[in-house]
Amino acid sequence: MKEEKKPQIIRERIEVCELDRARLSLMNPELIKQKRENRTIDEAAKPFIELTMKEGIETVWDRHEMQQPECKYCAAGISCQRCAMGPCRIIPPHRVRGVCGADADLIVARNLLDQLATGAAAHSDHGREIVLTLYGVGKGTVNDYTISDPEKMKRLAREYGIETAGKSERKLAEELGLAMLEEFGTLKDSLRIADRAPRATREVWKNAGIVPRGIDREVVEAMHRVQMGVAADYANTLVHGLRASLSDGWGGSSLATEVSDILFGTPRPNESLVNLGVVKKDHVNISLHGHNPMLSEMVVKAAKDSEIQALVRKVGAAGINLVGLCCTGNELLMRKGIPNAGNHFNQELVITTGALEAMVVDYQCIFPSLPRTASCYHTYIISTSPKSRIPGSYYFEFEPETAYETAKAIVKMAVENFPNRNPDRVFIPVEPVKVTTGFSVEAIRGALGGTFKPLIDQIASGNIRGAVGIVGCNNPKVKHDYGHVTLSKELIKRDILCVETGCAAIASGKAGLLQPSAASLAGPGLGPVCTSLGIPPVLHMGSCVDCSRILHLAAELANALNVGIHRLPIAGAAPEWYSQKAVSIGSYFVASGVFTVLGVMPKISGSPAVISLLTEGLKGVVNASFAVEPDPLKAADLISAHIERKRTELGI
Ligand code: SF4
Ligand code: MSK
């Protein structure tokens, strides 16, 4: 008999909830009330935030407070740790260059390129894992996954110039997987998949010298450039950042999205629920957190296994309740309608329901401190990626070849943890909110009757003034969800359609904006259009890598009009971004011709030259630029003005 998979325990599991008594003693009911209101606008999160303060369970907001005041040199981007001659800081009037001679502009630019390349690498490495799985399915080495959307696979194969006639699914998966793997790095000088960008946009890239080549190549070159003694010119450094970001958006992220659709199904509109109220008192609750859908898809299957179901009955639970978090959650919500417990800042709070048997994580956006939070309860943190082994967690090494077996062992462990729950600590005083999600590019085209013409007509007639991609994370510098929700509400009121991904999309879901009935909050043009189509005015387009869907949608519209993306009445926004991945996303939006407004200041204020390049100078390079506006209402003004300008230029 095959031996059952057992987890490896990474270091001792933290067994005692480390209550911070000193901080706790400072808390009084008035202060708790005040903080609870200042920390979030997510009504369902508020009782849990209050609980953490009463019980001294540390959260992201506490740690942010403890980090204050922040270092003003680091905040301005003018500190450098790059080599052993430093660290260096720029402190005018005397210290205006680092030991190597780098000035403020160069130090800021190198730091920014470093962040961007990190984000591009994260998305693209995720994409590589998915493509390798497709290739493994084709080669017959990976047997736990199947091709869920063979039509999409054929479309992609044709895009890659692969003959599809007479080939089996497996043969096609092998050939397409190999062609896609080559995008990461061979002797080529452009990405095949980036050819779907409009011709005029590719022309802009060519003239600017930023056509993305191999995906790995751009990230490696970025790392080379930030090595001491290579980059010397801030502008030249940042222009490479645009190229690296394009290799992410039109490369690694696009591959992650497209191949996930092939393997797990292309999202179609479906209904589900969001917020912390999705946790069920009488069920074994398992949250699936991170970004890569490969393990979580298998957990969904394993939860239905007859042996597991028998075990569920044995422990006396009513069933297994899977809930998503962050972008793994977005993937499951879009494709499977699995309820979502929330975005980035809900990850600690879901543990405080006291009813979570396990939190299964893959990688990205996972607080390394989660095992500390979990130690206050019976919850197991189960890490699964060799790239993200978390001290204090139980670790199952995930490999596509043994995906089902691993998923089943994880689910079993969670079910067996159900009797360890303390019923007196179960606290779920909130109800979930309904959402309609699943708006892939294909689904939007389908909702419009098979062509984008009706959308273009509505934009041309002015009923819809334009569209905005709202993306990105939560950041304790912004009241949780306030930036996302305020901006989305304001834009739809102004007849601007919102398409959203990542934590922004979940924020809108929790606020009720992902329901068709939210059309009543939209303006007199957009509202009736949404009502007639039965869609919400804010469309959920997926996870962080699915920002590529927003690019592809823009490309479809631009191609239909035979213009570059920069001519469209569209914009991007990241009101609460924190992640290096968001730096890459913002950059590939701008490099693709999309004006993008950030709600959190990047670490560039130490270089007026870099600020000027990013907010003005880039217009001469890629016909788009960044703006920074922390107030979402003012951001809406900037976006509306931009959209109206673009409409005038188009003559509509
Ligand atoms: Fe200092 Fe230059 Fe080294 Fe940075 S690269 S730490 S500025 S000497
Ligand atoms: S999970 S990258 S906090 S959107 Fe994709 Fe959310 Fe940002 Fe992570």
Side-chain angles (χ1 to χ4, degrees):
M1 213 175 104
K2 205 168 171 186
E3 206 184 315
E4 195 179 302
K5 270 211 166 191
K6 290 267 187 270
Q8 184 185 343
I9 301 173
I10 302 190
R11 285 198 217 147
E12 277 293 274
R13 182 159 186 270
I14 302 158
E15 288 298 347
V16 186
C17 175
E18 296 181 23
L19 300 180
D20 183 343
R21 298 284 168 200
R23 289 178 57 75
L24 207 53
S25 66
L26 295 174
M27 295 289 181
N28 60 56
E30 208 30 58
L31 187 60
I32 288 178
K33 202 170 137 206
Q34 202 185 22
K35 282 185 185 242
R36 153 193 153 126
E37 295 306 315
N38 288 342
R39 287 180 171 185
T40 188
I41 63 158
D42 174 355
E43 288 303 325
K46 287 181 181 175
F48 297 95
I49 292 178
E50 191 172 328
L51 179 86
T52 62
M53 287 186 280
K54 284 182 179 158
E55 298 207 356
I57 299 167
E58 178 193 289
T59 61
V60 62
W61 293 281
D62 300 312
R63 293 189 294 272
H64 181 246
E65 279 177 15
M66 289 185 261
Q67 282 293 333
Q68 302 309 305
E70 58 185 21
C71 165
K72 62 181 183 181
Y73 303 104
C74 293
I78 45 175
S79 61
C80 183
Q81 301 258 11
R82 213 154 288 291
C83 84
M85 294 193 285
C88 303
R89 287 174 303 169
I90 301 299
I91 311 175
H94 301 299
R95 292 193 230 169
V96 291
R97 274 177 286 279
V99 177
C100 66
D103 61 11
D105 301 333
L106 180 59
I107 289 177
V108 166
R110 282 192 312 206
N111 288 345
L112 194 61
L113 179 59
D114 194 342
Q115 284 186 31
L116 187 155
T118 304
H123 280 151
S124 300
D125 203 37
H126 163 177
R128 185 201 322 270
E129 287 186 8
I130 309 266
V131 177
L132 277 170
T133 304
L134 177 73
Y135 183 62
V137 169
K139 291 288 278 181
T141 53
V142 174
N143 297 306
D144 288 354
Y145 298 93
T146 51
I147 303 299
S148 295
D149 191 341
E151 280 314 307
K152 183 155 187 167
M153 182 165 72
K154 278 190 198 153
R155 275 203 315 278
L156 261 297
R158 284 193 287 272
E159 210 174 318
Y160 273 85
I162 297 168
E163 177 59 58
T164 57
K167 285 187 187 151
S168 68
E169 272 185 10
R170 272 194 40 193
K171 182 73 187 145
L172 219 45
E174 182 188 341
E175 288 185 21
L176 180 60
L178 190 61
M180 287 174 158
L181 285 172
E182 289 198 336
E183 299 273 47
F184 286 85
T186 56
L187 288 172
K188 49 203 289 184
D189 58 4
S190 69
L191 295 181
R192 187 80 187 228
I193 194 164
D195 283 350
R196 53 172 66 176
R199 198 171 41 80
T201 300
R202 282 182 281 132
E203 208 50 43
V204 171
W205 298 343
K206 206 165 145 199
N207 293 336
I210 58 169
V211 174
R213 301 160 295 181
I215 297 166
D216 290 346
R217 177 177 178 178
E218 304 307 356
V219 174
V220 169
E221 185 172 320
M223 292 290 99
H224 182 186
R225 284 169 178 253
V226 300
Q227 148 73 36
M228 198 301 276
V230 180
D233 173 74
Y234 74 92
N236 177 271
T237 306
L238 291 175
V239 169
H240 179 71
L242 297 181
R243 187 176 219 171
S245 73
L246 288 172
S247 78
D248 168 3
W250 294 92
S253 283
S254 290
L255 294 176
T257 296
E258 300 295 57
V259 179
S260 293
D261 285 356
I262 291 173
L263 290 172
F264 310 125
T266 303
R268 299 268 168 253
N270 69 68
E271 289 192 356
S272 190
L273 299 166
V274 293
N275 85 18
L276 292 164
V278 299
V279 176
K280 291 182 181 169
K281 209 172 175 169
D282 52 355
H283 280 59
V284 172
N285 292 291
I286 304 174
S287 72
L288 300 158
H289 178 19
H291 281 78
N292 187 326
M294 273 167 33
L295 170 66
S296 52
E297 284 279 338
M298 226 22 91
V299 168
V300 175
K301 271 192 196 166
K304 295 178 191 146
D305 189 291
S306 56
E307 276 178 53
I308 295 286
Q309 287 300 323
L311 193 60
V312 169
R313 287 189 290 277
K314 194 169 149 203
V315 300
I320 294 179
N321 183 36
L322 301 177
V323 301
L325 270 172
C326 283
C327 282
T328 288
N330 273 316
E331 301 266 358
L332 294 170
L333 184 62
M334 286 273 283
R335 294 199 180 87
K336 302 268 180 302
I338 303 270
N340 191 298
N343 49 10
H344 194 215
F345 284 3
N346 293 108
Q347 65 179 289
E348 292 169 314
L349 303 181
V350 70
I351 296 172
T352 67
T353 58
L356 193 69
E357 274 56 55
M359 180 180 288
V360 185
V361 303
D362 47 80
Y363 45 50
Q364 300 171 16
C365 303
I366 293 150
F367 290 148
S369 55
L370 282 177
R372 281 169 56 90
T373 320
S375 71
C376 301
Y377 294 87
H378 72 301
T379 308
Y380 294 144
I381 303 295
I382 300 179
S383 57
T384 57
S385 167
K387 293 165 193 165
S388 182
R389 294 163 63 112
I390 302 177
S393 71
Y394 293 90
Y395 176 69
F396 284 87
E397 185 145 314
F398 173 78
E399 285 159 334
E401 291 77 10
T402 51
Y404 187 76
E405 190 193 337
T406 307
K408 191 171 163 188
I410 288 173
V411 177
K412 182 166 179 274
M413 190 173 161
V415 176
E416 285 170 345
N417 196 23
F418 183 75
N420 297 329
R421 188 193 284 187
N422 177 353
D424 296 339
R425 295 194 75 199
V426 173
F427 177 70
I428 317 171
V430 292
E431 290 298 323
V433 173
K434 274 193 189 161
V435 290
T436 300
T437 76
F439 290 97
S440 56
V441 175
E442 291 86 341
I444 295 174
R445 193 193 283 114
L448 293 167
T451 150
F452 287 104
K453 190 166 179 308
L455 177 59
I456 292 168
D457 289 347
Q458 291 294 347
I459 293 174
S461 73
N463 283 334
I464 301 177
R465 308 302 298 170
V468 174
I470 304 182
V471 305
C473 328
N474 297 133
N475 186 322
K477 294 175 180 172
V478 181
K479 190 191 274 200
H480 176 217
D481 289 354
Y482 173 77
H484 299 308
V485 174
T486 311
L487 181 62
S488 303
K489 279 188 174 165
E490 190 58 30
L491 290 174
I492 60 172
K493 207 159 78 186
R494 299 180 189 201
D495 291 322
I496 295 170
L497 178 72
C498 295
V499 292
E500 302 191 354
T501 62
C503 293
I506 306 227
S508 285
K510 290 184 287 180
L513 301 178
L514 299 185
Q515 300 168 3
S517 60
S520 64
L521 301 174
L526 175 65
V529 174
C530 291
T531 305
S532 71
L533 293 170
I535 59 170
V538 177
L539 300 181
H540 183 305
M541 291 192 77
S543 64
C544 310
V545 292
D546 291 339
C547 289
S548 65
R549 295 192 202 275
I550 298 178
L551 288 183
H552 300 163
L553 180 62
E556 292 273 3
L557 299 180
N559 281 333
L561 295 171
N562 201 17
V563 296
I565 290 174
H566 67 278
R567 305 269 324 267
L568 298 174
I570 62 173
E576 302 181 30
W577 75 276
Y578 90 85
S579 170
Q580 297 103 316
K581 292 179 289 171
V583 178
S584 182
I585 295 168
S587 301
Y588 69 64
F589 273 13
V590 169
S592 302
V594 181
F595 168 62
T596 298
V597 184
L598 306 176
V600 177
M601 181 68 175
K603 297 184 178 81
I604 58 172
S605 63
S607 170
V610 168
I611 294 178
S612 163
L613 177 68
L614 297 183
T615 57
E616 285 298 327
L618 287 184
K619 290 179 194 164
V621 184
V622 289
N623 303 301
S625 63
F626 286 99
V628 180
E629 179 48 70
D631 179 342
L633 295 175
K634 288 187 186 154
D637 288 342
L638 289 177
I639 289 168
S640 302
H642 170 80
I643 283 178
E644 293 308 321
R645 226 175 6 253
K646 290 290 166 185
R647 293 184 63 88
T648 308
E649 283 170 19
L650 273 177
I652 55 174

